[in-house]
PDB file of all heavy atoms in Angstrom:
ATOM      1  N   ARG T  71      33.419  18.277  26.280  1.00  0.00           N
ATOM      2  CA  ARG T  71      34.685  18.959  26.023  1.00  0.00           C
ATOM      3  C   ARG T  71      34.530  19.758  24.726  1.00  0.00           C
ATOM      4  O   ARG T  71      33.803  19.311  23.834  1.00  0.00           O
ATOM      5  CB  ARG T  71      35.808  17.903  25.831  1.00  0.00           C
ATOM      6  CG  ARG T  71      37.173  18.426  26.256  1.00  0.00           C
ATOM      7  CD  ARG T  71      38.264  17.509  25.836  1.00  0.00           C
ATOM      8  NE  ARG T  71      38.347  16.298  26.664  1.00  0.00           N
ATOM      9  CZ  ARG T  71      39.420  15.496  26.608  1.00  0.00           C
ATOM     10  NH1 ARG T  71      40.439  15.765  25.822  1.00  0.00           N
ATOM     11  NH2 ARG T  71      39.504  14.421  27.354  1.00  0.00           N
ATOM     12  N   GLY T 148      36.063 -15.565   8.533  1.00  0.00           N
ATOM     13  CA  GLY T 148      36.395 -16.810   9.202  1.00  0.00           C
ATOM     14  C   GLY T 148      35.725 -17.000  10.563  1.00  0.00           C
ATOM     15  O   GLY T 148      35.828 -18.052  11.166  1.00  0.00           O
ATOM     16  N   ALA T 175      25.790   0.899   4.870  1.00  0.00           N
ATOM     17  CA  ALA T 175      26.453   0.089   5.879  1.00  0.00           C
ATOM     18  C   ALA T 175      27.806  -0.330   5.321  1.00  0.00           C
ATOM     19  O   ALA T 175      27.963  -0.493   4.098  1.00  0.00           O
ATOM     20  CB  ALA T 175      25.626  -1.163   6.181  1.00  0.00           C
ATOM     21  N   SER T 177      29.068  -3.156   6.232  1.00  0.00           N
ATOM     22  CA  SER T 177      28.874  -4.601   6.023  1.00  0.00           C
ATOM     23  C   SER T 177      28.258  -4.765   4.628  1.00  0.00           C
ATOM     24  O   SER T 177      27.820  -3.760   4.038  1.00  0.00           O
ATOM     25  CB  SER T 177      27.944  -5.170   7.089  1.00  0.00           C
ATOM     26  OG  SER T 177      26.835  -4.332   7.254  1.00  0.00           O
ATOM     27  N   ALA T 178      28.226  -5.997   4.116  1.00  0.00           N
ATOM     28  CA  ALA T 178      27.664  -6.220   2.764  1.00  0.00           C
ATOM     29  C   ALA T 178      26.307  -5.540   2.657  1.00  0.00           C
ATOM     30  O   ALA T 178      26.007  -4.891   1.653  1.00  0.00           O
ATOM     31  CB  ALA T 178      27.580  -7.701   2.480  1.00  0.00           C
ATOM     32  N   GLU T 197      26.399 -12.911  -1.498  1.00  0.00           N
ATOM     33  CA  GLU T 197      27.105 -13.303  -0.277  1.00  0.00           C
ATOM     34  C   GLU T 197      26.874 -12.270   0.807  1.00  0.00           C
ATOM     35  O   GLU T 197      27.711 -11.404   1.017  1.00  0.00           O
ATOM     36  CB  GLU T 197      28.600 -13.476  -0.589  1.00  0.00           C
ATOM     37  CG  GLU T 197      28.867 -14.594  -1.562  1.00  0.00           C
ATOM     38  CD  GLU T 197      30.346 -14.823  -1.882  1.00  0.00           C
ATOM     39  OE1 GLU T 197      31.206 -14.200  -1.238  1.00  0.00           O
ATOM     40  OE2 GLU T 197      30.623 -15.653  -2.766  1.00  0.00           O
ATOM     41  N   TRP T 198      25.750 -12.379   1.470  1.00  0.00           N
ATOM     42  CA  TRP T 198      25.370 -11.392   2.487  1.00  0.00           C
ATOM     43  C   TRP T 198      25.647 -11.888   3.911  1.00  0.00           C
ATOM     44  O   TRP T 198      26.049 -11.101   4.757  1.00  0.00           O
ATOM     45  CB  TRP T 198      23.879 -11.058   2.385  1.00  0.00           C
ATOM     46  CG  TRP T 198      23.497 -10.217   1.236  1.00  0.00           C
ATOM     47  CD1 TRP T 198      24.259  -9.965   0.103  1.00  0.00           C
ATOM     48  CD2 TRP T 198      22.265  -9.520   1.065  1.00  0.00           C
ATOM     49  NE1 TRP T 198      23.541  -9.141  -0.741  1.00  0.00           N
ATOM     50  CE2 TRP T 198      22.324  -8.861  -0.188  1.00  0.00           C
ATOM     51  CE3 TRP T 198      21.090  -9.390   1.842  1.00  0.00           C
ATOM     52  CZ2 TRP T 198      21.262  -8.084  -0.672  1.00  0.00           C
ATOM     53  CZ3 TRP T 198      20.042  -8.630   1.346  1.00  0.00           C
ATOM     54  CH2 TRP T 198      20.138  -7.974   0.110  1.00  0.00           C
ATOM     55  N   GLU T 234      38.572 -14.377   0.744  1.00  0.00           N
ATOM     56  CA  GLU T 234      39.718 -13.464   0.847  1.00  0.00           C
ATOM     57  C   GLU T 234      40.118 -13.002  -0.554  1.00  0.00           C
ATOM     58  O   GLU T 234      40.492 -11.861  -0.758  1.00  0.00           O
ATOM     59  CB  GLU T 234      40.903 -14.173   1.512  1.00  0.00           C
ATOM     60  CG  GLU T 234      42.034 -13.225   1.801  1.00  0.00           C
ATOM     61  CD  GLU T 234      43.253 -13.898   2.440  1.00  0.00           C
ATOM     62  OE1 GLU T 234      43.073 -14.889   3.149  1.00  0.00           O
ATOM     63  OE2 GLU T 234      44.369 -13.397   2.180  1.00  0.00           O
ATOM     64  N   SER T 235      40.002 -13.937  -1.550  1.00  0.00           N
ATOM     65  CA  SER T 235      40.380 -13.573  -2.920  1.00  0.00           C
ATOM     66  C   SER T 235      39.443 -12.477  -3.488  1.00  0.00           C
ATOM     67  O   SER T 235      39.775 -11.855  -4.485  1.00  0.00           O
ATOM     68  CB  SER T 235      40.402 -14.797  -3.818  1.00  0.00           C
ATOM     69  OG  SER T 235      39.104 -15.328  -3.951  1.00  0.00           O
ATOM     70  N   ASN T 236      38.290 -12.301  -2.875  1.00  0.00           N
ATOM     71  CA  ASN T 236      37.417 -11.184  -3.298  1.00  0.00           C
ATOM     72  C   ASN T 236      37.553  -9.978  -2.376  1.00  0.00           C
ATOM     73  O   ASN T 236      36.676  -9.118  -2.299  1.00  0.00           O
ATOM     74  CB  ASN T 236      35.970 -11.637  -3.388  1.00  0.00           C
ATOM     75  CG  ASN T 236      35.721 -12.477  -4.625  1.00  0.00           C
ATOM     76  OD1 ASN T 236      36.448 -12.357  -5.604  1.00  0.00           O
ATOM     77  ND2 ASN T 236      34.704 -13.319  -4.603  1.00  0.00           N
ATOM     78  N   SER T 237      38.710  -9.906  -1.678  1.00  0.00           N
ATOM     79  CA  SER T 237      39.084  -8.726  -0.888  1.00  0.00           C
ATOM     80  C   SER T 237      38.140  -8.461   0.280  1.00  0.00           C
ATOM     81  O   SER T 237      37.953  -7.304   0.681  1.00  0.00           O
ATOM     82  CB  SER T 237      39.140  -7.478  -1.780  1.00  0.00           C
ATOM     83  OG  SER T 237      40.020  -7.703  -2.856  1.00  0.00           O
ATOM     84  N   LYS T 240      39.367  -6.263   3.013  1.00  0.00           N
ATOM     85  CA  LYS T 240      39.262  -4.820   2.905  1.00  0.00           C
ATOM     86  C   LYS T 240      37.935  -4.317   3.459  1.00  0.00           C
ATOM     87  O   LYS T 240      37.858  -3.312   4.141  1.00  0.00           O
ATOM     88  CB  LYS T 240      39.396  -4.378   1.440  1.00  0.00           C
ATOM     89  CG  LYS T 240      40.763  -4.608   0.866  1.00  0.00           C
ATOM     90  CD  LYS T 240      40.921  -3.903  -0.485  1.00  0.00           C
ATOM     91  CE  LYS T 240      42.249  -4.273  -1.077  1.00  0.00           C
ATOM     92  NZ  LYS T 240      42.547  -3.527  -2.291  1.00  0.00           N
ATOM     93  N   GLN T 257      34.658   6.603  23.333  1.00  0.00           N
ATOM     94  CA  GLN T 257      34.755   5.824  24.574  1.00  0.00           C
ATOM     95  C   GLN T 257      33.460   5.148  24.935  1.00  0.00           C
ATOM     96  O   GLN T 257      33.102   5.061  26.105  1.00  0.00           O
ATOM     97  CB  GLN T 257      35.187   6.727  25.728  1.00  0.00           C
ATOM     98  CG  GLN T 257      36.443   7.509  25.508  1.00  0.00           C
ATOM     99  CD  GLN T 257      36.723   8.450  26.654  1.00  0.00           C
ATOM    100  OE1 GLN T 257      36.912   8.025  27.791  1.00  0.00           O
ATOM    101  NE2 GLN T 257      36.717   9.738  26.388  1.00  0.00           N
ATOM    102  N   GLY T 258      32.734   4.706  23.915  1.00  0.00           N
ATOM    103  CA  GLY T 258      31.485   3.993  24.173  1.00  0.00           C
ATOM    104  C   GLY T 258      31.724   2.495  24.211  1.00  0.00           C
ATOM    105  O   GLY T 258      32.851   2.008  24.070  1.00  0.00           O
ATOM    106  N   ASP T 263      29.602  -5.584  22.426  1.00  0.00           N
ATOM    107  CA  ASP T 263      28.972  -5.554  23.743  1.00  0.00           C
ATOM    108  C   ASP T 263      27.550  -4.968  23.723  1.00  0.00           C
ATOM    109  O   ASP T 263      26.891  -4.909  24.766  1.00  0.00           O
ATOM    110  CB  ASP T 263      29.826  -4.750  24.722  1.00  0.00           C
ATOM    111  CG  ASP T 263      31.154  -5.435  24.985  1.00  0.00           C
ATOM    112  OD1 ASP T 263      31.197  -6.691  24.896  1.00  0.00           O
ATOM    113  OD2 ASP T 263      32.138  -4.737  25.279  1.00  0.00           O
ATOM    114  N   THR T 281      35.543  25.588   0.787  1.00  0.00           N
ATOM    115  CA  THR T 281      36.188  26.849   0.373  1.00  0.00           C
ATOM    116  C   THR T 281      37.519  27.051   1.093  1.00  0.00           C
ATOM    117  O   THR T 281      38.240  28.011   0.785  1.00  0.00           O
ATOM    118  CB  THR T 281      35.280  28.075   0.559  1.00  0.00           C
ATOM    119  OG1 THR T 281      35.015  28.235   1.952  1.00  0.00           O
ATOM    120  CG2 THR T 281      33.959  27.920  -0.201  1.00  0.00           C
ATOM    121  N   GLN T 288      33.963  26.169  -8.310  1.00  0.00           N
ATOM    122  CA  GLN T 288      34.930  25.244  -8.944  1.00  0.00           C
ATOM    123  C   GLN T 288      34.666  23.819  -8.466  1.00  0.00           C
ATOM    124  O   GLN T 288      34.711  22.873  -9.236  1.00  0.00           O
ATOM    125  CB  GLN T 288      36.364  25.615  -8.564  1.00  0.00           C
ATOM    126  CG  GLN T 288      36.955  26.742  -9.380  1.00  0.00           C
ATOM    127  CD  GLN T 288      38.317  27.111  -8.832  1.00  0.00           C
ATOM    128  OE1 GLN T 288      38.436  27.490  -7.641  1.00  0.00           O
ATOM    129  NE2 GLN T 288      39.347  27.010  -9.652  1.00  0.00           N
ATOM    130  N   HIS T 292      33.683  20.958 -11.079  1.00  0.00           N
ATOM    131  CA  HIS T 292      34.608  19.839 -11.289  1.00  0.00           C
ATOM    132  C   HIS T 292      33.907  18.508 -10.964  1.00  0.00           C
ATOM    133  O   HIS T 292      34.017  17.539 -11.711  1.00  0.00           O
ATOM    134  CB  HIS T 292      35.823  20.073 -10.371  1.00  0.00           C
ATOM    135  CG  HIS T 292      37.072  19.407 -10.852  1.00  0.00           C
ATOM    136  ND1 HIS T 292      38.314  19.748 -10.382  1.00  0.00           N
ATOM    137  CD2 HIS T 292      37.307  18.388 -11.698  1.00  0.00           C
ATOM    138  CE1 HIS T 292      39.232  18.973 -10.938  1.00  0.00           C
ATOM    139  NE2 HIS T 292      38.636  18.146 -11.742  1.00  0.00           N
ATOM    140  N   ARG T 299      30.545  12.661 -16.766  1.00  0.00           N
ATOM    141  CA  ARG T 299      31.354  11.796 -17.671  1.00  0.00           C
ATOM    142  C   ARG T 299      31.175  10.328 -17.316  1.00  0.00           C
ATOM    143  O   ARG T 299      31.167   9.468 -18.198  1.00  0.00           O
ATOM    144  CB  ARG T 299      32.821  12.193 -17.604  1.00  0.00           C
ATOM    145  CG  ARG T 299      33.092  13.447 -18.452  1.00  0.00           C
ATOM    146  CD  ARG T 299      34.512  13.911 -18.348  1.00  0.00           C
ATOM    147  NE  ARG T 299      35.464  12.880 -18.718  1.00  0.00           N
ATOM    148  CZ  ARG T 299      36.780  12.994 -18.575  1.00  0.00           C
ATOM    149  NH1 ARG T 299      37.298  14.090 -18.052  1.00  0.00           N
ATOM    150  NH2 ARG T 299      37.572  12.020 -18.950  1.00  0.00           N
ATOM    151  N   THR T 305      28.974   1.392 -21.438  1.00  0.00           N
ATOM    152  CA  THR T 305      28.765   0.220 -20.580  1.00  0.00           C
ATOM    153  C   THR T 305      28.495  -1.008 -21.455  1.00  0.00           C
ATOM    154  O   THR T 305      28.161  -0.893 -22.623  1.00  0.00           O
ATOM    155  CB  THR T 305      27.587   0.417 -19.614  1.00  0.00           C
ATOM    156  OG1 THR T 305      26.406   0.659 -20.401  1.00  0.00           O
ATOM    157  CG2 THR T 305      27.814   1.583 -18.670  1.00  0.00           C
ATOM    158  N   VAL T 306      28.604  -2.160 -20.807  1.00  0.00           N
ATOM    159  CA  VAL T 306      28.440  -3.427 -21.548  1.00  0.00           C
ATOM    160  C   VAL T 306      27.026  -3.573 -22.086  1.00  0.00           C
ATOM    161  O   VAL T 306      26.824  -3.952 -23.234  1.00  0.00           O
ATOM    162  CB  VAL T 306      28.809  -4.625 -20.623  1.00  0.00           C
ATOM    163  CG1 VAL T 306      28.542  -5.939 -21.307  1.00  0.00           C
ATOM    164  CG2 VAL T 306      30.287  -4.524 -20.211  1.00  0.00           C
ATOM    165  N   LYS T 317      19.659   6.062  -7.021  1.00  0.00           N
ATOM    166  CA  LYS T 317      18.420   5.308  -6.772  1.00  0.00           C
ATOM    167  C   LYS T 317      17.537   6.043  -5.765  1.00  0.00           C
ATOM    168  O   LYS T 317      16.328   6.056  -5.890  1.00  0.00           O
ATOM    169  CB  LYS T 317      18.764   3.912  -6.176  1.00  0.00           C
ATOM    170  CG  LYS T 317      19.240   2.955  -7.247  1.00  0.00           C
ATOM    171  CD  LYS T 317      19.303   1.542  -6.682  1.00  0.00           C
ATOM    172  CE  LYS T 317      19.721   0.589  -7.804  1.00  0.00           C
ATOM    173  NZ  LYS T 317      20.019  -0.747  -7.304  1.00  0.00           N
TER     174      LYS T 317
ATOM    175  N   ARG Z  71      47.842  27.977  -0.347  1.00  0.00           N
ATOM    176  CA  ARG Z  71      46.894  28.605   0.562  1.00  0.00           C
ATOM    177  C   ARG Z  71      47.099  27.965   1.941  1.00  0.00           C
ATOM    178  O   ARG Z  71      47.438  26.809   2.040  1.00  0.00           O
ATOM    179  CB  ARG Z  71      45.470  28.333   0.099  1.00  0.00           C
ATOM    180  CG  ARG Z  71      44.504  29.436   0.484  1.00  0.00           C
ATOM    181  CD  ARG Z  71      43.087  29.026   0.260  1.00  0.00           C
ATOM    182  NE  ARG Z  71      42.678  29.067  -1.143  1.00  0.00           N
ATOM    183  CZ  ARG Z  71      41.397  29.020  -1.534  1.00  0.00           C
ATOM    184  NH1 ARG Z  71      40.433  28.950  -0.621  1.00  0.00           N
ATOM    185  NH2 ARG Z  71      41.066  29.044  -2.798  1.00  0.00           N
ATOM    186  N   GLY Z 148      29.436  -2.474 -14.533  1.00  0.00           N
ATOM    187  CA  GLY Z 148      28.784  -2.496 -15.855  1.00  0.00           C
ATOM    188  C   GLY Z 148      29.566  -1.798 -16.952  1.00  0.00           C
ATOM    189  O   GLY Z 148      29.191  -1.873 -18.145  1.00  0.00           O
ATOM    190  N   ALA Z 175      44.247  -0.373  -1.698  1.00  0.00           N
ATOM    191  CA  ALA Z 175      43.520   0.210  -2.820  1.00  0.00           C
ATOM    192  C   ALA Z 175      42.026   0.070  -2.516  1.00  0.00           C
ATOM    193  O   ALA Z 175      41.627  -0.886  -1.855  1.00  0.00           O
ATOM    194  CB  ALA Z 175      43.866  -0.529  -4.103  1.00  0.00           C
ATOM    195  N   SER Z 177      40.005  -0.252  -5.016  1.00  0.00           N
ATOM    196  CA  SER Z 177      39.601  -1.250  -6.003  1.00  0.00           C
ATOM    197  C   SER Z 177      39.837  -2.624  -5.365  1.00  0.00           C
ATOM    198  O   SER Z 177      40.496  -2.721  -4.317  1.00  0.00           O
ATOM    199  CB  SER Z 177      40.428  -1.104  -7.269  1.00  0.00           C
ATOM    200  OG  SER Z 177      41.798  -0.937  -6.948  1.00  0.00           O
ATOM    201  N   ALA Z 178      39.316  -3.683  -6.001  1.00  0.00           N
ATOM    202  CA  ALA Z 178      39.480  -5.029  -5.425  1.00  0.00           C
ATOM    203  C   ALA Z 178      40.950  -5.270  -5.103  1.00  0.00           C
ATOM    204  O   ALA Z 178      41.287  -5.812  -4.039  1.00  0.00           O
ATOM    205  CB  ALA Z 178      38.956  -6.093  -6.396  1.00  0.00           C
ATOM    206  N   GLU Z 197      37.319 -12.323  -8.086  1.00  0.00           N
ATOM    207  CA  GLU Z 197      36.755 -11.338  -9.020  1.00  0.00           C
ATOM    208  C   GLU Z 197      37.563 -10.048  -8.962  1.00  0.00           C
ATOM    209  O   GLU Z 197      37.210  -9.100  -8.282  1.00  0.00           O
ATOM    210  CB  GLU Z 197      35.288 -11.094  -8.700  1.00  0.00           C
ATOM    211  CG  GLU Z 197      34.440 -12.353  -8.873  1.00  0.00           C
ATOM    212  CD  GLU Z 197      32.976 -12.150  -8.569  1.00  0.00           C
ATOM    213  OE1 GLU Z 197      32.522 -10.995  -8.335  1.00  0.00           O
ATOM    214  OE2 GLU Z 197      32.226 -13.156  -8.588  1.00  0.00           O
ATOM    215  N   TRP Z 198      38.669 -10.014  -9.676  1.00  0.00           N
ATOM    216  CA  TRP Z 198      39.558  -8.858  -9.641  1.00  0.00           C
ATOM    217  C   TRP Z 198      39.404  -7.951 -10.839  1.00  0.00           C
ATOM    218  O   TRP Z 198      39.525  -6.733 -10.703  1.00  0.00           O
ATOM    219  CB  TRP Z 198      41.028  -9.303  -9.577  1.00  0.00           C
ATOM    220  CG  TRP Z 198      41.463  -9.911  -8.286  1.00  0.00           C
ATOM    221  CD1 TRP Z 198      40.685 -10.363  -7.276  1.00  0.00           C
ATOM    222  CD2 TRP Z 198      42.817 -10.132  -7.883  1.00  0.00           C
ATOM    223  NE1 TRP Z 198      41.451 -10.842  -6.258  1.00  0.00           N
ATOM    224  CE2 TRP Z 198      42.774 -10.716  -6.597  1.00  0.00           C
ATOM    225  CE3 TRP Z 198      44.057  -9.909  -8.470  1.00  0.00           C
ATOM    226  CZ2 TRP Z 198      43.914 -11.072  -5.889  1.00  0.00           C
ATOM    227  CZ3 TRP Z 198      45.212 -10.246  -7.774  1.00  0.00           C
ATOM    228  CH2 TRP Z 198      45.147 -10.815  -6.489  1.00  0.00           C
ATOM    229  N   GLU Z 234      26.140  -6.805  -8.342  1.00  0.00           N
ATOM    230  CA  GLU Z 234      25.463  -5.828  -7.489  1.00  0.00           C
ATOM    231  C   GLU Z 234      25.017  -6.503  -6.200  1.00  0.00           C
ATOM    232  O   GLU Z 234      25.091  -5.896  -5.121  1.00  0.00           O
ATOM    233  CB  GLU Z 234      24.257  -5.265  -8.225  1.00  0.00           C
ATOM    234  CG  GLU Z 234      23.622  -4.098  -7.475  1.00  0.00           C
ATOM    235  CD  GLU Z 234      22.379  -3.524  -8.153  1.00  0.00           C
ATOM    236  OE1 GLU Z 234      22.262  -3.604  -9.383  1.00  0.00           O
ATOM    237  OE2 GLU Z 234      21.514  -3.015  -7.384  1.00  0.00           O
ATOM    238  N   SER Z 235      24.607  -7.784  -6.303  1.00  0.00           N
ATOM    239  CA  SER Z 235      24.117  -8.489  -5.107  1.00  0.00           C
ATOM    240  C   SER Z 235      25.254  -8.716  -4.109  1.00  0.00           C
ATOM    241  O   SER Z 235      25.023  -9.010  -2.937  1.00  0.00           O
ATOM    242  CB  SER Z 235      23.482  -9.831  -5.471  1.00  0.00           C
ATOM    243  OG  SER Z 235      24.446 -10.680  -6.047  1.00  0.00           O
ATOM    244  N   ASN Z 236      26.514  -8.566  -4.551  1.00  0.00           N
ATOM    245  CA  ASN Z 236      27.633  -8.614  -3.607  1.00  0.00           C
ATOM    246  C   ASN Z 236      28.121  -7.235  -3.219  1.00  0.00           C
ATOM    247  O   ASN Z 236      29.270  -7.053  -2.806  1.00  0.00           O
ATOM    248  CB  ASN Z 236      28.754  -9.475  -4.166  1.00  0.00           C
ATOM    249  CG  ASN Z 236      28.442 -10.960  -4.068  1.00  0.00           C
ATOM    250  OD1 ASN Z 236      27.636 -11.377  -3.229  1.00  0.00           O
ATOM    251  ND2 ASN Z 236      29.039 -11.763  -4.928  1.00  0.00           N
ATOM    252  N   SER Z 237      27.250  -6.249  -3.399  1.00  0.00           N
ATOM    253  CA  SER Z 237      27.503  -4.873  -2.935  1.00  0.00           C
ATOM    254  C   SER Z 237      28.658  -4.190  -3.631  1.00  0.00           C
ATOM    255  O   SER Z 237      29.344  -3.353  -3.028  1.00  0.00           O
ATOM    256  CB  SER Z 237      27.725  -4.840  -1.423  1.00  0.00           C
ATOM    257  OG  SER Z 237      26.663  -5.464  -0.750  1.00  0.00           O
ATOM    258  N   LYS Z 240      28.882  -0.493  -3.455  1.00  0.00           N
ATOM    259  CA  LYS Z 240      29.493   0.142  -2.280  1.00  0.00           C
ATOM    260  C   LYS Z 240      30.999   0.315  -2.508  1.00  0.00           C
ATOM    261  O   LYS Z 240      31.587   1.359  -2.166  1.00  0.00           O
ATOM    262  CB  LYS Z 240      29.278  -0.688  -1.008  1.00  0.00           C
ATOM    263  CG  LYS Z 240      27.841  -0.713  -0.587  1.00  0.00           C
ATOM    264  CD  LYS Z 240      27.718  -1.314   0.825  1.00  0.00           C
ATOM    265  CE  LYS Z 240      26.261  -1.464   1.163  1.00  0.00           C
ATOM    266  NZ  LYS Z 240      26.037  -1.874   2.538  1.00  0.00           N
ATOM    267  N   GLN Z 257      41.788  20.003  -7.167  1.00  0.00           N
ATOM    268  CA  GLN Z 257      41.631  20.592  -8.517  1.00  0.00           C
ATOM    269  C   GLN Z 257      42.636  20.013  -9.509  1.00  0.00           C
ATOM    270  O   GLN Z 257      43.144  20.720 -10.392  1.00  0.00           O
ATOM    271  CB  GLN Z 257      41.808  22.097  -8.496  1.00  0.00           C
ATOM    272  CG  GLN Z 257      40.894  22.810  -7.522  1.00  0.00           C
ATOM    273  CD  GLN Z 257      41.199  24.292  -7.460  1.00  0.00           C
ATOM    274  OE1 GLN Z 257      41.086  24.990  -8.437  1.00  0.00           O
ATOM    275  NE2 GLN Z 257      41.600  24.759  -6.299  1.00  0.00           N
ATOM    276  N   GLY Z 258      42.921  18.742  -9.356  1.00  0.00           N
ATOM    277  CA  GLY Z 258      43.845  18.083 -10.295  1.00  0.00           C
ATOM    278  C   GLY Z 258      43.079  17.394 -11.398  1.00  0.00           C
ATOM    279  O   GLY Z 258      41.843  17.463 -11.461  1.00  0.00           O
ATOM    280  N   ASP Z 263      41.631  10.966 -16.817  1.00  0.00           N
ATOM    281  CA  ASP Z 263      42.471  11.752 -17.734  1.00  0.00           C
ATOM    282  C   ASP Z 263      43.959  11.509 -17.524  1.00  0.00           C
ATOM    283  O   ASP Z 263      44.781  12.078 -18.247  1.00  0.00           O
ATOM    284  CB  ASP Z 263      42.174  13.239 -17.584  1.00  0.00           C
ATOM    285  CG  ASP Z 263      40.757  13.585 -18.018  1.00  0.00           C
ATOM    286  OD1 ASP Z 263      40.226  12.847 -18.903  1.00  0.00           O
ATOM    287  OD2 ASP Z 263      40.171  14.522 -17.468  1.00  0.00           O
ATOM    288  N   THR Z 281      43.897  13.277  21.457  1.00  0.00           N
ATOM    289  CA  THR Z 281      43.700  13.852  22.777  1.00  0.00           C
ATOM    290  C   THR Z 281      42.706  15.027  22.747  1.00  0.00           C
ATOM    291  O   THR Z 281      42.353  15.555  23.796  1.00  0.00           O
ATOM    292  CB  THR Z 281      45.027  14.324  23.425  1.00  0.00           C
ATOM    293  OG1 THR Z 281      45.598  15.361  22.641  1.00  0.00           O
ATOM    294  CG2 THR Z 281      46.028  13.163  23.523  1.00  0.00           C
ATOM    295  N   GLN Z 288      43.850   6.054  27.258  1.00  0.00           N
ATOM    296  CA  GLN Z 288      42.514   5.453  27.134  1.00  0.00           C
ATOM    297  C   GLN Z 288      42.298   4.953  25.703  1.00  0.00           C
ATOM    298  O   GLN Z 288      41.755   3.880  25.458  1.00  0.00           O
ATOM    299  CB  GLN Z 288      41.415   6.478  27.446  1.00  0.00           C
ATOM    300  CG  GLN Z 288      41.141   6.687  28.906  1.00  0.00           C
ATOM    301  CD  GLN Z 288      40.163   7.822  29.119  1.00  0.00           C
ATOM    302  OE1 GLN Z 288      40.418   8.972  28.676  1.00  0.00           O
ATOM    303  NE2 GLN Z 288      39.050   7.532  29.751  1.00  0.00           N
ATOM    304  N   HIS Z 292      41.651   1.094  24.943  1.00  0.00           N
ATOM    305  CA  HIS Z 292      40.352   0.711  24.411  1.00  0.00           C
ATOM    306  C   HIS Z 292      40.524  -0.031  23.077  1.00  0.00           C
ATOM    307  O   HIS Z 292      39.920  -1.063  22.832  1.00  0.00           O
ATOM    308  CB  HIS Z 292      39.500   1.973  24.246  1.00  0.00           C
ATOM    309  CG  HIS Z 292      38.025   1.733  24.260  1.00  0.00           C
ATOM    310  ND1 HIS Z 292      37.119   2.739  24.473  1.00  0.00           N
ATOM    311  CD2 HIS Z 292      37.273   0.621  24.070  1.00  0.00           C
ATOM    312  CE1 HIS Z 292      35.888   2.242  24.408  1.00  0.00           C
ATOM    313  NE2 HIS Z 292      35.960   0.993  24.176  1.00  0.00           N
ATOM    314  N   ARG Z 299      40.285  -8.815  21.619  1.00  0.00           N
ATOM    315  CA  ARG Z 299      39.087  -9.649  21.664  1.00  0.00           C
ATOM    316  C   ARG Z 299      38.750 -10.239  20.309  1.00  0.00           C
ATOM    317  O   ARG Z 299      38.276 -11.358  20.216  1.00  0.00           O
ATOM    318  CB  ARG Z 299      37.906  -8.833  22.212  1.00  0.00           C
ATOM    319  CG  ARG Z 299      37.972  -8.738  23.739  1.00  0.00           C
ATOM    320  CD  ARG Z 299      36.872  -7.853  24.296  1.00  0.00           C
ATOM    321  NE  ARG Z 299      35.554  -8.338  23.930  1.00  0.00           N
ATOM    322  CZ  ARG Z 299      34.442  -7.657  24.157  1.00  0.00           C
ATOM    323  NH1 ARG Z 299      34.502  -6.470  24.777  1.00  0.00           N
ATOM    324  NH2 ARG Z 299      33.271  -8.143  23.796  1.00  0.00           N
ATOM    325  N   VAL Z 306      35.760 -20.487  12.515  1.00  0.00           N
ATOM    326  CA  VAL Z 306      35.283 -21.764  11.992  1.00  0.00           C
ATOM    327  C   VAL Z 306      36.426 -22.776  11.949  1.00  0.00           C
ATOM    328  O   VAL Z 306      36.235 -23.952  12.330  1.00  0.00           O
ATOM    329  CB  VAL Z 306      34.681 -21.552  10.585  1.00  0.00           C
ATOM    330  CG1 VAL Z 306      34.292 -22.880   9.968  1.00  0.00           C
ATOM    331  CG2 VAL Z 306      33.456 -20.635  10.658  1.00  0.00           C
ATOM    332  N   LYS Z 317      49.567  -8.962   8.500  1.00  0.00           N
ATOM    333  CA  LYS Z 317      50.446  -9.647   7.534  1.00  0.00           C
ATOM    334  C   LYS Z 317      51.700  -8.820   7.318  1.00  0.00           C
ATOM    335  O   LYS Z 317      52.804  -9.369   7.189  1.00  0.00           O
ATOM    336  CB  LYS Z 317      49.708  -9.800   6.187  1.00  0.00           C
ATOM    337  CG  LYS Z 317      48.710 -10.918   6.202  1.00  0.00           C
ATOM    338  CD  LYS Z 317      48.248 -11.257   4.797  1.00  0.00           C
ATOM    339  CE  LYS Z 317      47.321 -12.453   4.827  1.00  0.00           C
ATOM    340  NZ  LYS Z 317      46.614 -12.638   3.569  1.00  0.00           N
TER     341      LYS Z 317
END
Side-chain angles (χ1 to χ4, degrees):
Chain T
R71 210 191 284 194
S177 46
E197 296 182 6
W198 287 15
E234 188 182 330
S235 65
N236 285 336
S237 306
K240 293 191 185 187
Q257 306 175 61
D263 294 332
T281 64
Q288 279 174 301
H292 204 163
R299 282 177 57 188
T305 59
V306 175
K317 282 192 177 170
Chain Z
R71 210 191 283 196
S177 45
E197 297 181 7
W198 288 15
E234 189 183 331
S235 64
N236 285 336
S237 307
K240 292 191 185 187
Q257 305 175 61
D263 294 332
T281 64
Q288 279 174 302
H292 204 163
R299 280 176 58 188
V306 175
K317 282 193 177 167

